[in-house]
Amino acid sequence: MNKLVTGRGNVIRQAEGFKQLGVEVKRPISSNLVEIAQNDALLENDQGVERHPAEDKVN
């Protein structure tokens, strides 16, 4: 569960990013999970964690 909603490049945040790029969504992700993932991103930024977008990519 932690890798889905927390940490760099978490799956929920990536999926939401695809939605913003215009990918068609068949089933929405639970708003609770989206909120947790977004709050985790805010916490990382507040703690001064330097983001490296290349590291967020999933191969």
Side-chain angles (χ1 to χ4, degrees):
M1 182 66 171
N2 283 341
K3 290 188 181 206
L4 289 175
V5 295
T6 61
R8 276 188 203 193
N10 71 63
V11 175
I12 301 299
R13 201 171 341 161
Q14 287 182 24
E16 287 298 304
F18 286 131
K19 278 178 35 179
Q20 292 175 356
L21 292 173
V23 174
E24 183 181 338
V25 177
K26 292 184 181 182
R27 288 191 223 163
I29 297 172
S30 166
S31 60
N32 292 340
L33 290 177
V34 173
E35 186 175 330
I36 292 169
Q38 289 173 344
N39 287 340
D40 185 64
L42 293 174
L43 286 175
E44 279 185 359
N45 290 336
D46 288 346
Q47 294 173 355
V49 175
E50 188 175 331
R51 304 277 310 177
H52 298 283
E55 293 176 10
D56 289 344
K57 293 181 180 177
V58 176
N59 294 328

